[in-house]
Amino acid sequence: MDGNLNALTTVFTEFYYWVTVVFMFLIHVGFCMYEVGASRHRNHMHTLMKNIMIIPLVTVTFFFFGWWIYWAFPNFPFFGGLNHEAAAANLPWSQNMATNLSDRITGVFWAAFLLFSWTAASIVSGAVIERIRSSALWVHAVMIGSVFWIIDAAWGWHAEGWMVKYLGYHDAYASGVIHAIAGGYALGVIMVLGPRLGKFAADGTPRDIPPHNPWMLTIGIFLIYSGFWGFYAACNIPVISPEGIGGLLTGDTWTATNIYLAPTSLSAITFNFLMSLSGGLMAAYVVSKGDAFWTFSGGLAGIITASAGNDLYHPIQAMLVGAVGVVIVYKLHYWVERRFKLDDAVGAVAVHGYSGIVGLILAGFLLWGAPSSPYEGYATVNPVGQTIGAVIMFGVLGWLPGFLIAKMQAAAGVLRIPVEVELQGLDYAEHHAYEEAKAEIIAADKAALNGGSVPAE
Amino acid sequence: MSTIGYDSWAVDLAEVGAVYPFQGSEGLMVVLGVVFWIAWHRIQFVREGAHLEKAKQMGDKDKINSLLEKY
């Protein structure tokens, strides 16, 4: 850092990302609460542990190879080789990936992406509760969190990604990059995994399996909203000079940029985050006829639908995009459930996957002709590019690997828990150990009360 | 032609203002937004009326009594 202005900008950027990461942690707290609230008592601890262990597993693998993929893969394999030069600084043995006073940004920027990785894995985790083996889910978590989502980020969320360059792909706050891929991946897994026992009646009619704790579920989704707001800020670069981005802008006005280095502001995305949340909540209330959980999820789906273009929409456009998306997503969820007998326990495929697809396609029309990036020669935003992008995110990088890996796990007999265990509940063994320990302590206390032996003081 | 009025970001930001699509249609967008809001209230009033009417007939006296006891 040569000069105080550079030092100030660097330290501000470092602090900015650090704050966003802490806010984004709330997303994971929210997912844990939501999943536990949605599961039945007998599967409580299993559900919680399944989601908690995503944190260390995705973190270490993202350190070992996930972060390297982001820097190496923007044009690999279709439009060039691996970018070894950019990726070298992000290898796990690089001095940038450690305590280093000449690089204050890599750690916090890495962490911001890592929190997105946890989110991608956690979205899948919600769809498969009460019947997947933890070991199987944790392999999926590593695959989507540290491999597939970060490939999609390199392709469609890197300033030099080939999808941005050639398709004009624009997905500023990750309708597709996080949500469509995670929804698609979850769909691939639940197609192989099958529904929870009792989800469908003998004639195929789906049954509602109500959450055991509505309070926990509600607080969970509100924490997800809070973390998502932090996520929006994390998708921006807070302050940068035209010179700092290679003179891509003319003049000398400094600005915040989105992930593609195109100018934006926290003010713009704050308007649009809150208006799309509102449009989603209002539309979901109406379309679900006042169902509380779909209304809350609809708020999330509204934001996700508008996210692709929320750096550029007018707030009323963001609200209406959020509302339209939620209606489509809600109808599609129930159609798929009835038609294909799929059990998506928390509506993750719909809220994240279908919303992501709808959001990408709508952005293609609404932002038609807008520059996707400040780099010269890049394609502009267009409906065809956005639709192809949606297929790549949901289908190619999401659904396909989720389906194939789940198929391999099923063939090896390591995907689903045994029926006997599903019936007694995944917490049965722990519950019994607890009851036995409790009974023993109570018996000892009673013996002491009745004049039996007491421990030495 | 771009919906946001810019085909390139190679611009001097000192001279850039609004960048949302369909500038000049703000009045129409507000009308659409207000229609959405008012329609929401209308739908909700009608739905809630129908729901309360149905709910009036649902209560069994013993069950209501036990609910009152529950506080």
Side-chain angles (χ1 to χ4, degrees):
Chain A
M1 291 187 290
D2 50 339
N4 286 340
L5 189 57
N6 272 343
L8 192 64
T9 308
T10 303
V11 172
F12 175 75
T13 305
E14 179 185 24
F15 183 68
Y16 176 94
Y17 282 121
W18 181 82
V19 171
T20 64
V21 169
V22 176
F23 271 110
M24 279 194 291
F25 201 99
L26 294 177
I27 297 178
H28 211 80
V29 179
F31 273 126
C32 283
M33 291 186 75
Y34 195 95
E35 279 192 35
V36 172
S39 62
R40 287 166 285 182
H41 270 114
R42 61 190 189 196
N43 297 312
H44 230 157
M45 288 311 294
H46 175 268
T47 303
L48 193 55
M49 287 306 289
K50 174 172 67 61
N51 210 15
I52 291 285
M53 289 309 291
I54 284 173
I55 295 176
L57 291 165
V58 175
T59 300
V60 297
T61 51
F62 198 73
F63 186 88
F64 294 144
F65 50 82
W67 190 228
W68 175 84
I69 291 175
Y70 178 69
W71 293 100
F73 271 55
N75 288 295
F76 180 80
F78 309 113
F79 295 92
L82 295 168
N83 188 340
H84 289 293
E85 198 184 332
N90 300 284
L91 283 164
W93 50 83
S94 158
Q95 289 195 347
N96 294 62
M97 296 289 284
T99 310
N100 183 340
L101 294 185
S102 70
D103 178 357
R104 293 164 184 264
I105 302 301
T106 297
V108 285
F109 202 45
W110 168 81
F113 274 71
L114 169 64
L115 273 282
F116 304 159
S117 301
W118 295 358
T119 301
S122 225
I123 290 166
V124 178
S125 164
V128 297
I129 56 171
E130 301 191 314
R131 62 217 195 270
I132 199 167
R133 287 185 187 219
S134 298
S135 44
L137 185 270
W138 291 333
V139 170
H140 287 296
V142 168
M143 294 311 289
I144 188 169
S146 292
V147 180
F148 293 107
W149 111 262
I150 198 67
I151 293 175
D152 94 4
W155 289 359
W157 219 40
H158 186 294
E160 292 170 21
W162 71 264
M163 288 174 63
V164 186
K165 213 181 280 184
Y166 301 112
L167 298 177
Y169 183 75
H170 186 83
D171 192 9
Y173 302 94
S175 289
V177 167
I178 291 281
H179 298 284
I181 184 175
Y185 198 102
L187 179 66
V189 176
I190 63 173
M191 281 171 72
V192 183
L193 182 64
R196 287 167 290 176
L197 293 174
K199 173 66 190 173
F200 292 96
D203 66 353
T205 312
R207 294 193 186 106
D208 191 28
I209 301 180
H212 95 273
N213 189 332
W215 256 115
M216 196 173 265
L217 202 131
T218 305
I219 296 170
I221 199 131
F222 274 78
L223 286 172
I224 296 172
Y225 294 162
S226 310
F228 206 162
W229 205 346
F231 169 93
Y232 259 52
C235 297
N236 280 3
I237 294 164
V239 57
I240 196 163
S241 68
E243 194 187 343
I245 51 174
L248 294 172
L249 305 177
T250 60
D252 51 16
T253 307
W254 291 37
T255 182
T257 74
N258 64 19
I259 197 79
Y260 306 118
L261 301 175
T264 190
S265 69
L266 279 178
S267 184
I269 64 170
T270 300
F271 268 137
N272 291 346
F273 177 86
L274 292 172
M275 289 294 273
S276 55
L277 167 68
S278 304
L281 284 167
M282 289 168 75
Y285 181 92
V286 167
V287 77
S288 71
K289 299 192 169 57
D291 177 278
F293 306 119
W294 265 104
T295 302
F296 305 154
S297 293
L300 195 57
I303 305 167
I304 293 167
T305 312
S307 286
N310 256 352
D311 56 330
L312 292 170
Y313 290 152
H314 184 280
I316 295 175
Q317 293 166 347
M319 177 185 77
L320 295 174
V321 165
V324 168
V326 164
V327 174
I328 297 171
V329 159
Y330 178 84
K331 299 278 182 196
L332 203 50
H333 169 80
Y334 284 109
W335 181 79
V336 169
E337 184 180 90
R338 279 193 305 271
R339 176 78 181 76
F340 300 102
K341 310 284 176 278
L342 292 178
D343 178 15
D344 174 4
V346 297
V349 177
V351 171
H352 299 274
Y354 306 154
S355 295
I357 293 175
V358 173
L360 288 173
I361 294 171
L362 288 178
F365 287 97
L366 287 168
L367 302 176
W368 205 334
S372 60
S373 147
Y375 287 99
E376 209 178 316
Y378 275 36
T380 53
V381 182
N382 64 89
V384 176
Q386 290 294 101
T387 306
I388 296 171
V391 171
I392 292 171
M393 294 298 168
F394 185 89
V396 178
L397 290 171
W399 177 82
L400 188 62
F403 182 80
L404 292 178
I405 296 168
K407 272 277 182 203
M408 286 190 264
Q409 291 175 333
V414 295
L415 178 65
R416 187 163 177 141
I417 58 171
V419 175
E420 297 81 356
V421 178
E422 189 172 345
L423 285 170
Q424 69 198 23
L426 281 150
D427 292 348
Y428 186 80
E430 289 84 348
H431 179 69
H432 274 255
Y434 170 79
E435 290 296 332
E436 275 164 28
K438 201 171 80 174
E440 223 172 291
I441 298 298
I442 290 170
D445 284 349
K446 279 183 179 167
L449 184 70
N450 297 326
S453 64
V454 290
E457 288 184 7
Chain B
M1 194 53 211
S2 158
T3 56
I4 67 164
Y6 291 90
D7 299 305
S8 159
W9 284 122
V11 290
D12 186 343
L13 278 186
E15 291 163 15
V16 176
V19 290
Y20 49 83
F22 313 121
Q23 288 158 45
S25 312
E26 292 83 354
L28 176 66
M29 287 193 270
V30 171
V31 170
L32 286 174
V34 170
V35 166
F36 173 69
W37 162 54
I38 298 292
W40 189 89
H41 281 297
R42 159 94 186 134
I43 293 167
Q44 201 271 335
F45 261 104
V46 172
R47 287 253 180 91
E48 191 177 28
H51 169 73
L52 292 174
E53 204 48 50
K54 202 172 151 194
K56 247 171 38 177
Q57 321 299 332
M58 285 170 70
D60 171 297
K61 251 208 171 127
D62 292 339
K63 281 184 185 161
I64 294 172
N65 261 331
S66 68
L67 271 177
L68 294 176
E69 286 296 329
K70 219 174 169 186
Y71 187 60

